[in-house]
Amino acid sequence: MLLYLSKRIARSFLTLIIILTVVFCLLRLVPIEGYFQNFDKMTPQQIEVGLKEMGLSDSLPLQIVHFFQKLLHGNLGTSRIYRSNVPVSDILADKVPVSIKLGIWSMVVSLLVGLPMGAFMARYQYRWFDKIGTFFIVCIQAVPAAVYFLYIQLYGTQLFHVGLLFQIDDPNYWILPVISMSLGNIAFYGMWLRRYMIDESNKDYVRLAKAKGLSEGNVMFKHIFRNAFVPLAQYIPTAFLNTVIGSIYIESLYSIPGMGGLLVTVIKKHDNAMVQGIVLLYACVGVLGLLLGDLMMVMLDPRISLGKKAGDR
Amino acid sequence: MMKQFSYRHTKEAELIENMEEAELFTFGGYNEAETEKTGFSNYSYWNSTLHAFFKNRIAFALLVLLMLLLAFTFIQPYLPGQYDPNLIINDTSGMQFRNIPPGKQFILGTNSIGQDLWARIWSGTRTSLFIGLSVALAEAVIGITVGVIWGYVRKADFILTEIYNIIDNIPNTIILILISYILKPSVKTLIFAMCLTGWIQMARFIRNQILIIRDRDYNVASRCLGTPTVRIIVKNLLPYLVSVIMLRMALTIPAAIGNEVFITYIGLGLPVNIPSLGNLINEGRALITSPALRYQLVYPTIILSFVTISFYIIGNAFSDAADPKNHL
């Protein structure tokens, strides 16, 4: 177990370093206007001095080394346009907790709604509950999120009597963003749990349980659900990444002062240092999310043998 | 079971009863042509697939509607009395027709700077569909090629798996944002950015399937008989994957259209002089606070939702139909 754990973590760490390097190199290709507040009024000499100051005129490998050195000290660079000369990490420190809170709430809601939905759809297969659920899933999956988020905001704000401007202390203002962010994952969990439970319910041990005279509900939840949930754990990392992506759109739509909303803002303002910092942070979140998902699956199912995992993917 | 058995029994008894006594005790004879006869079936894969697909009335209706829609986006500019999607229309006194609600002169009204929404919607649908179809096609071509190599060539497996592990770790949207941020916004850039992440999922899928069926008996037999590898791949492996490839392609189109809307929203999309559904929805969103102008958001979203839902349903129906297990 420990060997597997350390191997898996080391692997993630290596991946992270590669990703950071690639992203860093790619971001060297951006137009340099994004590094200065009033680029249009500057003379070429001033620009050169400015670039030198930021260490951007060094060779690429040297820049990468400097970047990692700074990163070890928790220094993500300095914002130039969004807020002049404030370290990126300081700006992010205010924003990240909000995003995390939103993310956790939406994960909780989507699990609490999505799992029972999938289970009941499997239990009452081909009846009206299953049909309504399938219709819901098709709609959520087929219509782009960018569109239904807009309508939820449009009609939801009237329904809950909340303004368009987000107020962080009022719980009413959290309802709509959390619902919007959960919908995609609810459909996701619902669809896969239904599928796995239906597959599982045709197996012999379920027939045996029924033949023994156990009640339908008992078989459903004690036998089928527990087995069907294991492959679902595999999808939790994907669901997690969905949440991360949803947050970019939703935080910006509801002007929630979080990381995702910030990304949209700094992209519009072309602040290169900020974009770099946030993109790197998102890459880390992605790697971490997949790592946790893998570990969770190993813990949930004792049958998955550790260390041999790479063999039969 | 019982019923069948008794049925056969009575049938046989009937047959014997009807035979002449002499006939019962003569030899049947040996007919060489008769023994060589084998079962013949006029089964054709694509015919059966189409037949199964047309049975699904909803999917078929949607397909027809979608085709008409696609044809109309191309016909529309040539119809009489159409405006240019980028033309700012002025009235006789030189004032722009701003925010005119849908009516006689402008079928779907005008937007906030006086452009005809009807023309913009069709032009935008054309752009968005073009992006979606190009992405789906490019992903399929790259994905299938790489996937086949990945699954079939053992030496390539390690490297490609490592590449996959790295790309898979970054959320796709982040890559999309990054590429769009670095490059200048245009239709080509968007297609490029979307293909950059999509193909690897397709390739991995193909690779997994090929690993499963590569060493099945019929392929081993084929290899022993000296069939060239290319022929094995094209004739033995890929037809097996038609249904899943079609499904993935059909689902890529709505996803690409949705991504375009998203990228436009965060300010990295197409310039406004290239109308796209993303652009239109984004323009409509800006007017969300005044209910009288909501038509500028509603019409583009209706078209968008229709296109994406149609592709989703058609894709699912077609992949069901393309699976030989569902053929009768």
Side-chain angles (χ1 to χ4, degrees):
Chain A
M1 180 82 185
L2 269 177
L3 188 71
Y4 171 73
L5 269 182
S6 50
K7 259 189 190 166
R8 182 68 183 81
I9 290 171
R11 212 187 156 73
S12 287
F13 194 68
L14 197 69
T15 314
L16 192 61
I17 288 177
I18 295 174
I19 291 173
L20 290 184
T21 316
V22 170
V23 170
F24 186 80
C25 293
L26 278 178
L27 276 164
R28 293 311 96 195
L29 298 171
V30 253
I32 49 170
E33 290 108 76
Y35 290 110
F36 304 103
Q37 205 155 21
N38 40 2
F39 182 76
D40 298 334
K41 294 175 198 153
M42 287 167 82
T43 60
Q45 276 167 329
Q46 280 177 309
I47 292 173
E48 210 168 288
V49 172
L51 283 180
K52 204 162 240 173
E53 232 170 62
M54 282 176 255
L56 288 168
S57 45
D58 297 341
S59 68
L60 191 60
L62 200 64
Q63 281 189 44
I64 294 172
V65 172
H66 283 309
F67 166 70
F68 276 110
Q69 277 172 354
K70 278 187 191 166
L71 199 64
L72 284 178
H73 296 106
N75 182 354
L76 276 169
T78 315
S79 166
R80 303 280 163 186
I81 296 177
Y82 176 69
R83 278 208 249 154
S84 195
N85 293 327
V86 179
V88 174
S89 42
D90 284 6
I91 300 175
L92 286 178
D94 295 342
K95 309 276 185 180
V96 171
V98 182
S99 288
I100 292 178
K101 194 174 164 192
L102 189 66
I104 290 176
W105 270 112
S106 93
M107 283 292 264
V108 170
V109 170
S110 51
L111 281 171
L112 282 183
V113 180
L115 293 183
M117 191 180 91
F120 277 108
M121 277 168 74
R123 171 90 162 74
Y124 300 106
Q125 196 189 357
Y126 301 133
R127 304 234 213 115
W128 60 268
F129 188 87
D130 187 30
K131 280 179 185 160
I132 292 175
T134 310
F135 179 73
F136 167 77
I137 289 170
V138 167
C139 283
I140 293 291
Q141 296 222 312
V143 180
V147 170
Y148 64 74
F149 286 168
L150 275 178
Y151 280 91
I152 290 176
Q153 190 190 28
L154 188 59
Y155 294 105
T157 43
Q158 289 164 359
L159 195 69
F160 287 97
H161 303 291
V162 290
L164 282 174
L165 213 63
F166 189 73
Q167 282 166 13
I168 198 162
D169 298 321
D170 188 346
N172 280 338
Y173 281 81
W174 286 84
I175 298 174
L176 287 174
V178 169
I179 290 179
S180 312
M181 241 163 98
S182 318
L183 277 179
N185 282 338
I186 290 175
F188 199 77
Y189 289 134
M191 181 176 79
W192 286 108
L193 188 65
R194 174 182 179 275
R195 173 83 268 134
Y196 287 132
M197 280 182 75
I198 288 172
D199 286 353
E200 205 71 24
S201 60
N202 293 328
K203 290 193 175 162
D204 285 344
Y205 74 95
V206 175
R207 275 204 213 152
L208 173 70
K210 280 182 188 162
K212 283 191 297 191
L214 289 179
S215 75
E216 184 83 7
N218 211 340
V219 176
M220 224 40 190
F221 293 103
K222 285 211 172 140
H223 291 70
I224 300 176
F225 178 78
R226 287 181 65 171
N227 278 307
F229 186 69
V230 174
L232 204 68
Q234 201 182 344
Y235 287 94
I236 287 179
T238 318
F240 178 78
L241 293 185
N242 285 345
T243 317
V244 169
I245 290 151
S247 75
I248 298 176
Y249 195 76
I250 284 175
E251 285 181 12
S252 155
L253 204 59
Y254 289 90
S255 59
I256 298 171
M259 212 163 58
L262 185 66
L263 179 62
V264 178
T265 314
V266 294
I267 283 176
K268 284 184 174 155
K269 291 191 173 171
H270 284 275
D271 185 334
N272 289 352
M274 287 294 294
V275 172
Q276 177 182 318
I278 299 175
V279 165
L280 293 181
L281 202 60
Y282 268 117
C284 299
V285 170
V287 173
L288 200 68
L290 291 186
L291 173 69
L292 289 180
D294 264 14
L295 296 184
M296 200 157 106
M297 192 164 66
V298 170
M299 279 174 208
L300 266 179
D301 191 352
R303 286 170 302 185
I304 294 175
S305 65
L306 301 168
K308 268 188 180 175
K309 197 176 156 278
D312 53 343
R313 288 168 7 105
Chain B
M1 208 55 203
M2 204 48 215
K3 210 174 167 190
Q4 258 180 7
F5 179 72
S6 59
Y7 171 79
R8 250 179 69 192
H9 239 233
T10 45
K11 192 105 193 223
E12 219 160 86
E14 230 171 69
L15 210 71
I16 293 170
E17 250 169 50
N18 288 342
M19 280 183 177
E20 296 281 323
E21 182 110 342
E23 212 179 322
L24 275 172
F25 292 98
T26 48
F27 287 105
Y30 177 71
N31 186 341
E32 201 172 346
E34 199 80 7
T35 56
E36 289 296 319
K37 234 186 225 171
T38 48
F40 169 75
S41 136
N42 59 349
Y43 174 84
S44 140
Y45 175 73
W46 288 107
N47 275 347
S48 309
T49 302
L50 288 181
H51 191 74
F53 178 74
F54 289 145
K55 263 192 200 158
N56 190 333
R57 295 279 163 211
I58 298 173
F60 182 55
L62 284 176
L63 181 68
V64 172
L65 284 175
L66 203 62
M67 286 297 177
L68 289 177
L69 186 107
L70 187 65
F72 190 73
T73 60
F74 284 101
I75 297 169
Q76 183 267 335
Y78 303 107
L79 292 177
Q82 302 294 328
Y83 297 98
D84 184 274
N86 283 321
L87 182 73
I88 295 170
I89 303 153
N90 298 323
D91 62 8
T92 43
S93 60
M95 282 291 287
Q96 294 150 2
F97 282 111
R98 283 189 193 167
N99 295 329
I100 309 280
K104 257 197 181 148
Q105 195 181 358
F106 304 106
I107 302 172
L108 294 181
T110 60
N111 68 6
S112 52
I113 58 167
Q115 292 164 323
D116 181 32
L117 201 58
W118 166 262
R120 282 183 78 76
I121 284 183
W122 291 113
S123 170
T125 311
R126 197 165 54 223
T127 318
S128 289
L129 278 175
F130 175 71
I131 293 176
L133 290 169
S134 315
V135 172
L137 201 68
E139 265 187 36
V141 172
I142 305 172
I144 291 171
T145 318
V146 177
V148 165
I149 296 172
W150 192 356
Y152 217 88
V153 184
R154 281 167 213 265
K155 280 175 197 157
D157 189 55
F158 176 75
I159 294 237
L160 281 167
T161 308
E162 289 306 308
I163 294 175
Y164 173 79
N165 281 342
I166 289 170
I167 295 185
D168 188 50
N169 266 294
I170 324 173
N172 279 351
T173 312
I174 293 297
I175 302 181
L176 200 60
I177 290 174
L178 198 65
I179 301 294
S180 315
Y181 186 71
I182 294 168
L183 302 170
K184 286 214 170 69
S186 74
V187 175
K188 273 186 215 154
T189 322
L190 276 182
I191 294 174
F192 174 72
M194 286 179 205
C195 292
L196 207 61
T197 54
W199 65 272
I200 196 133
Q201 300 294 340
M202 175 78 115
R204 179 177 155 80
F205 199 79
I206 302 274
R207 175 253 185 189
N208 285 349
Q209 294 297 316
I210 284 194
L211 277 189
I212 294 170
I213 54 178
R214 180 180 67 185
D215 289 329
R216 291 230 175 122
D217 289 347
Y218 69 96
N219 285 325
V220 174
S222 202
R223 229 176 289 149
C224 290
L225 290 171
T227 319
T229 312
V230 176
R231 198 182 152 82
I232 291 186
I233 289 169
V234 175
K235 290 269 173 185
N236 290 8
L237 299 180
L238 286 183
Y240 208 90
L241 301 173
V242 166
S243 73
V244 283
I245 291 172
M246 291 305 283
L247 181 65
R248 281 207 79 99
M249 277 179 75
L251 297 189
T252 304
I253 296 168
I257 294 174
N259 278 338
E260 196 262 325
V261 178
F262 174 75
I263 286 292
T264 308
Y265 171 77
I266 62 174
L268 295 172
L270 298 170
V272 275
N273 61 4
I274 308 175
S276 70
L277 288 175
N279 262 333
L280 293 171
I281 288 173
N282 208 28
E283 282 169 26
R285 191 189 56 83
L287 304 165
I288 208 166
T289 39
S290 55
L293 299 179
R294 254 173 219 169
Y295 67 91
Q296 294 187 21
L297 173 66
V298 172
Y299 293 130
T301 48
I302 288 175
I303 296 281
L304 181 95
S305 311
F306 170 73
V307 170
T308 50
I309 292 178
S310 302
F311 270 113
Y312 187 89
I313 292 175
I314 293 170
N316 275 304
F318 189 83
S319 99
D320 282 352
D323 187 350
K325 283 172 209 140
N326 294 334
H327 293 177
L328 286 173

